[in-house]
Amino acid sequence: MSKFVRNSFFGTIAGFAITLGNFFAGLIVARVLGVEGSGVVAFVMWVVTMVVAVGGFGFPASLQRYVPELTAQGDDKAASSLSNLLFWPSLLASVIAGGAFVAYGMTLDVSGVDVANASADRRVWLVIGLWASCQLLAEFGIAYLQGLQRFDQVAKITSISFVLQIVLVLVGSFLAGSVGAVLGYVSASLIPAICAFQAGAARGPVDKSLRRRVIRYSGFRWAASITAAFVWARMEVFFLEISHGTHAVGLFTAGLMLASIAVQGPQLLTRGLMAYFSEQYGVGAYDKLRASYATSIRMMALLVLPCCFGLAALAPEVVPMLYGDAFRDAIPASIILVCASAVGACATIAAIVTWVMERSDFEFYTGIAGAILASLAGLIIIPEFGIIGAALSRAATQIALVAAGLWFLERVLKCPTPYADLARLFVSAIVCALAARLCMNLDSSLLMLPVAIAAGAIAYVLALKLTKALPNEDLMQIEAITSHAPNAIAPVIRATVRFLKR
């Protein structure tokens, strides 16, 4: 098994553990605590996400970018020295962030969580401080292991953390409400945070030229992550909490969770791409990098477009089934968010190439534009139109940034995107969604869901055949990868590929 396939395999396992952990934890919170309780947890999650963006300094991204390049060049000592250099300021940031929120929380009232105004409760800020401190180190620890391409260790750690998170979120929700649920989420960060301390063991000098590259890259990735948090990291939660309360936050979060599930499966397959592209860039294989980009974005679109459009078509039945009847008002926003997430997921491949080519400065500049658009939407659109306004403004902002990123990749970095192939995949995914929706229109019972999914899948394959969306080289690569697929699905994939190649 090649290093890339091996890394992608274990990275997928790790990603599934994280995704399923958050998904099932979200379902537990929704079912046990209701819409308002979900809103409180979502608010805490948004604050922690912002803290991690600010306090990470872009160091995890630098570990993922430069450690694979150094190890590919046979300079393991430099990779260890770089990891050590970045660890200590990360540890300091973790301590300061946690302490600051705990100190702020101690100034507030000690009463129970007020679901109408969670930001005024002491216990909320205490758990925010704990979670933020652990998550900053957890992000660094996972990035350190991924940079060393120890994806098997990451898979083990995240799988154990998945079990801890589910059990403790369930217990915490029943025993201590929203605060207990958040403590369950914190448990998933503990083991990865401990792993971060491995990076502090090996000290050594870091070459000045490498240091300059890392500082520049980290600086732009740091600034970009802060501005991107306004666009990609639930910034709408902040404005919804202010203007419409935690009930609206809970409904909106249900749509975000559904969108996340739709794209996470395909996105998990990209876990090894950063290291793989970095190796190609490090040895000067630029033509191979460009070809790999075109193939990767087609493969992402092949998987994510039918998942998103198909799930959007089934959202009127899926949302109440997962979250309960209290979340029916979340259906329209969920459809918008799920469809828009397909665009963002496909753009993940383009973003990785941009980072590998050390042009994270572009992400920073577009992030500023996105932050301005998101803030304007939060001040003007969301107070007036609620969760629908939040969903539409989020979708529009993200699509605009993706378009800018693809333009930059093609015009400046000379890495063209296969738009014609993507358009054919888009049309095929629409056919998939229409077939699934038609089945549910005939019979809206939950028993029809498996039939609708199967009908959508068959329609999608037929549309791929008619549109000739995939070039032969992609089909050959899929056929080659099938040898590593589980025996239960490998024959189905092979038969589908043979059908498409005829």
Side-chain angles (χ1 to χ4, degrees), residues 206-471:
V206 177
D207 181 75
K208 289 183 179 180
S209 62
L210 175 62
R211 186 190 293 259
R212 285 194 296 269
R213 290 174 63 198
V214 170
I215 290 175
R216 183 181 186 277
Y217 184 82
S218 296
F220 278 113
R221 284 301 303 270
W222 178 41
S225 67
I226 295 173
T227 55
F230 284 83
V231 182
W232 305 99
R234 305 186 179 198
M235 186 63 190
E236 298 81 9
V237 166
F238 172 72
F239 292 107
L240 281 172
E241 203 273 342
I242 292 176
S243 57
H244 296 277
T246 53
H247 186 274
V249 171
L251 294 175
F252 185 74
T253 302
L256 289 176
M257 289 172 58
L258 199 67
S260 175
I261 287 298
V263 302
Q264 281 301 317
Q267 279 191 316
L268 295 176
L269 300 176
T270 68
R271 295 283 174 165
L273 279 181
M274 186 67 174
Y276 181 64
F277 287 166
S278 294
E279 286 184 342
Q280 291 180 341
Y281 187 77
V283 298
Y286 303 127
D287 290 339
K288 186 177 180 181
L289 174 59
R290 293 184 180 95
S292 298
Y293 161 68
T295 298
S296 298
I297 198 170
R298 280 195 298 265
M299 292 298 100
M300 175 62 74
L302 172 70
L303 297 173
V304 79
L305 290 178
C307 288
C308 289
F309 294 168
L311 184 56
L314 301 176
E317 290 76 28
V318 172
V319 171
M321 179 188 72
L322 292 178
Y323 304 108
D325 289 336
F327 285 82
R328 284 191 177 276
D329 289 342
I331 292 173
S334 298
I335 294 174
I336 297 169
L337 292 170
V338 169
C339 289
S341 66
V343 178
C346 291
T348 301
I349 309 297
I352 293 174
V353 175
T354 304
W355 299 335
V356 165
M357 291 187 171
E358 301 184 350
R359 291 308 307 268
S360 53
D361 56 323
F362 175 77
E363 184 185 11
F364 167 64
Y365 298 131
T366 56
I368 291 177
I372 294 173
L373 291 175
S375 299
L376 290 175
L379 294 172
I380 299 171
I381 297 176
I382 293 177
E384 181 69 23
F385 298 101
I387 62 172
I388 290 295
L392 288 172
S393 60
R394 179 183 178 87
T397 301
Q398 291 182 355
I399 291 173
L401 294 189
V402 168
L406 294 178
W407 173 88
F408 179 79
L409 196 65
E410 181 163 357
R411 294 299 181 90
V412 178
L413 300 182
K414 309 303 179 184
C415 194
T417 299
Y419 292 111
D421 295 332
L422 295 181
R424 287 189 284 268
L425 290 167
F426 178 86
V427 171
S428 300
I430 293 294
V431 173
C432 165
L434 291 175
R437 187 64 250 169
L438 178 61
C439 290
M440 297 309 301
N441 286 344
L442 296 174
D443 182 359
S444 60
S445 67
L446 294 180
L447 294 176
M448 182 59 73
L449 269 178
V451 178
I453 294 172
I458 294 172
Y460 184 55
V461 173
L462 292 175
L464 290 175
K465 176 72 171 180
L466 293 174
T467 60
K468 298 181 180 180
L470 292 176

Side-chain angles (χ1 to χ4, degrees), residues 80 83-84 87-88 144 196-203:
S80 299
S83 301
N84 177 272
F87 168 72
W88 295 106
Y144 171 69
F197 287 86
Q198 298 179 42
R203 297 184 178 181

Side-chain angles (χ1 to χ4, degrees), residues 42-269:
F43 174 76
V44 172
M45 194 176 296
W46 171 77
V47 174
V48 171
T49 300
M50 296 298 294
V51 173
V52 170
V54 174
F57 301 122
F59 292 161
S62 287
L63 291 175
Q64 293 172 323
R65 168 63 185 86
Y66 290 103
V67 171
E69 178 181 317
L70 293 171
T71 55
Q73 295 170 352
D75 199 347
D76 294 343
K77 185 177 180 180
S80 299
S81 299
L82 175 62
S83 301
N84 177 272
L85 176 68
L86 300 180
F87 168 72
W88 295 106
S90 298
L91 177 62
L92 180 61
S94 170
V95 173
I96 292 175
F101 283 109
V102 169
Y104 174 71
M106 295 302 294
T107 67
L108 301 177
D109 183 57
V110 75
S111 63
V113 176
D114 177 8
V115 295
N117 188 17
S119 59
D121 187 273
R122 171 187 293 186
R123 295 185 300 167
V124 168
W125 293 101
L126 295 181
V127 295
I128 285 176
L130 176 62
W131 193 3
S133 182
C134 290
Q135 189 62 29
L136 279 167
L137 286 178
E139 295 275 339
F140 189 94
I142 293 296
Y144 171 69
L145 293 176
Q146 289 176 334
L148 293 175
Q149 304 196 53
R150 298 176 184 172
F151 287 85
D152 54 338
Q153 293 185 28
V154 176
K156 294 176 183 177
I157 291 168
T158 52
S159 297
I160 296 172
S161 299
F162 159 70
V163 176
L164 283 175
Q165 180 179 359
I166 295 302
V167 172
L168 295 182
V169 166
L170 178 61
V171 174
S173 297
F174 278 109
L175 295 182
S178 299
V179 170
V182 172
L183 289 174
Y185 279 96
V186 174
S187 67
S189 302
L190 294 179
I191 299 177
I194 294 172
C195 292
F197 287 86
Q198 298 179 42
R203 297 184 178 181
V206 177
D207 181 75
K208 289 183 179 180
S209 62
L210 175 62
R211 186 190 293 259
R212 285 194 296 269
R213 290 174 63 198
V214 170
I215 290 175
R216 183 181 186 277
Y217 184 82
S218 296
F220 278 113
R221 284 301 303 270
W222 178 41
S225 67
I226 295 173
T227 55
F230 284 83
V231 182
W232 305 99
R234 305 186 179 198
M235 186 63 190
E236 298 81 9
V237 166
F238 172 72
F239 292 107
L240 281 172
E241 203 273 342
I242 292 176
S243 57
H244 296 277
T246 53
H247 186 274
V249 171
L251 294 175
F252 185 74
T253 302
L256 289 176
M257 289 172 58
L258 199 67
S260 175
I261 287 298
V263 302
Q264 281 301 317
Q267 279 191 316
L268 295 176
L269 300 176

